[in-house]
Amino acid sequence: MNQAEGDRAVVYFLLHVPKCAGTSVEQHFEGALGEGFLRAPRWEHFLREVLGNRYSYGPQDPRLAPVRAVSGHSLSVSLKRYFAPRPVEECVLLRDPLGFFVSMYNYRHARAVERGQPVPPPFERWYGRQRRNPVSQFLLTRYFEVGVPKVYTLSSAQRLAYLEERLQGFRFVGSYKRATEMIAGVSEALGIEREIEQANVLHQRYWSADALSDAMRGQILRENRLDQVLFERWAARGWRDGAEPLGPAPALPTNDRLTQMSGDLWAELSRNLPAGKPAPLDATPSGG
């Protein structure tokens, strides 16, 4: 690739939202692209949750010249500037809250067994210690770098509006079940192998959505309404080209900022409680 071609080469940002098939995505492109794949580095700094991720690259950094695809839990929108003037296409897979929490619980349990550590408490008690609306929270704070305390100035309605305005420009948005479709399309655009292997699939299931009581299902859907609405509206969108416009969004709370902040604070404090202390989302070694 000469300089002129390099300046025009598209870079794909493949957002790795936890438990949304991100490990399968990463392993495919890392294997197919080699040095052309970048796992975004984490900024180890106490201000990370305030300022967002920061990177040690410079303008026209030669380390980024061969990169065609970027992923990882520490991928943030601010990385775009280091690829300029190359265009960046963003892709993301989403998940419904019931599926997310059940999958995360199984993952935590399996990891604990694998490492000989205390297993999480029963699902309902474990769920009580988790942050609500984790998918939208991850997108806001990790990728779009809406840090603390700014994120708590946004109500659920404002968070949805913020995310939807930005997702409109994404190349691909869809359910995690469409990972194969997304991988195949990006692979074709990059001129690499389209066939993939599923990764990070747990064979031992400690809990399932079918095991949830009606009351528990209702509680999860009620307390994670933002994530449920986001999933319902974007799961079938797919590729940007030719996508149908979204209709009006359903009403979400406009005055729940304090509730969100207190809920996140409790989840953070509860990490230090006994019986299966959960780790932060981004501490997941290889969560999909």
Side-chain angles (χ1 to χ4, degrees), residues 18 30 35 76 96 100-101 114 122-123 174 182 214 228 238 249 260 278 284-285:
E30 188 170 33
E35 66 174 4
S76 301
D96 64 290
F100 177 94
F101 284 112
E114 177 184 305
F123 179 85
M182 187 194 79
D214 290 342
Q228 183 65 25
Q260 292 178 125
T284 304

Side-chain angles (χ1 to χ4, degrees), residues 236-288:
R237 190 264 208 167
W239 300 101
R240 179 178 61 221
D241 300 339
E244 295 292 329
L246 295 175
L252 287 175
T254 59
N255 59 350
D256 60 346
R257 301 171 185 84
L258 184 59
T259 301
Q260 292 178 125
M261 182 168 62
S262 60
D264 285 354
L265 179 61
W266 163 247
E268 194 64 34
L269 291 173
S270 70
R271 298 185 196 283
N272 297 316
L273 295 177
K277 182 175 74 171
L281 282 178
D282 61 329
T284 304
S286 60

Side-chain angles (χ1 to χ4, degrees), residues 142-155:
R142 188 59 50 79
Y143 184 68
F144 292 113
E145 298 182 323
V146 182
V148 177
K150 184 178 180 181
V151 69
Y152 297 116
T153 68
L154 301 176
S155 66

